[in-house]
Amino acid sequence: MVSERLSQLRPSPTLEITAKAKALKAQGVDVIGFGAGEPDFDTPRHIKDALYQAVEDGFIYYTPSPGIPELRQAISEKLKHDNGIDYASDEVIVTPGAKQALFEAVMALVNPGDEVLIPAPYWVSYVPMCQIASARAVPVATSKEQGFRVSAEDLASSITERTRLLILNSPSNPTGAVIDRKGLSEIADLCIKEDITVISDEIYEQIIYDAEHVSIGSFPGMRERTVTVNGFSKAYSMTGWRLGYAAAPRGIIKLMSNLQGHSVSNATSFVQKAGVAALRGSQDCVAGMTAEFRRRRDRIVELLNEIPGVECLVPDGAFYVFADFSGVEADSMKLAGMLLDEAGVAVVPGVAFGDAGEGFQRLSYAIGMEKIEEGIARIDKVVRRMR
Ligand SMILES: Cc1ncc(COP(=O)(O)O)c(C=O)c1O
């Protein structure tokens, strides 16, 4: 006997292609992987030093469930300074990764049968999180023509009397789209009018190019109805460290903290100390990484657009391009499989991010420039042969 609810969860379709890529690599095939969801840089020195020091100082015990006061305070100050949102330190919870913060927020905000609006293409874990919470995920499709930026109008047409929550992700994984201030302001007005709470996943906040990052929680009347989620994985290249956070009104943080206390207890003690160093230290490391990502973004977009039948927008943020390959092959799973078999190139089929992603392929440029150039040249060859 196993749980019916968990049995409904589907493993991510990306796993299929990743497993295949790994198997080919193990056989000695030279595979270029555009699947990476993490920066390929080392964690900055001063952050590692803070962790070593904390371990050396014996900071190795359980911490309070919602995090150490020092880090909660540093996050509260960051949100005030960078995002213009005034959360007290007890309105902040430190979590083992932003993913855990998102999961706890969904669990804290919905009841069975509630509907959750999710702009699509969407990050792969939002729908399973809703399923675990017995809520109904309602994808709201966006298109390449609108730059994959969801509008208040798109959202309004999907609202019913059961709509409770909206999960926003700007900059977006997989599309790199950034919603501008005006667009967010209209979405904020809609949420207030329709009494909808927002989970704002801002994990790619720092990896942004010519656009401005705006937090929806900073609009008048939104602080009370927003859970702002962020973390250290992407900005400081700390994916394996597992450190993230959420900020929200006390009542919501209390529920999330209870769930955390009864499940994972707390984020790792000495990693939290390193988090303080990340937020309080120099931010030059973040600027350096983003500058390199920009160089790669410009190159990969240029190269992809030279392939016949492929169209790629210039994304404003994150480290992914979401390229339209429908002019080559509309079945994204099929094409991803072909690219792996025939070119030794692993990409993520767009359908993994919902039906709105069908026909597209997601390529991460969190790999070196040489690999980008070699990988795209291989794709180009296969595509020309197909045509
Ligand atoms: C959109 C989005 N949100 C959240 C996360 C989770 O990040 P973390 O490593 O902090 O759990 C990811 C990681 O890939 C992501 O792409």
Side-chain angles (χ1 to χ4, degrees), residues 179-251:
I179 307 175
D180 67 10
R181 185 177 288 278
K182 181 169 171 287
L184 276 178
S185 160
E186 287 164 7
I187 294 172
D189 290 345
L190 177 74
C191 291
I192 292 168
K193 182 169 149 250
E194 300 286 347
D195 193 19
I196 293 170
T197 302
V198 178
I199 296 177
S200 180
D201 178 354
E202 304 183 12
I203 190 86
Y204 292 100
E205 168 191 19
Q206 312 267 15
I207 305 169
I208 194 161
Y209 310 106
D210 304 310
E212 172 197 22
H213 174 76
V214 180
S215 293
I216 194 162
S218 66
F219 288 96
M222 284 306 290
R223 198 199 94 94
E224 299 74 41
R225 57 176 64 252
T226 304
V227 180
T228 304
V229 175
N230 208 328
F232 298 77
S233 287
K234 318 287 174 174
Y236 303 101
S237 199
M238 290 172 67
T239 47
W241 296 55
R242 312 309 303 128
L243 193 64
Y245 57 88
R250 261 174 216 101

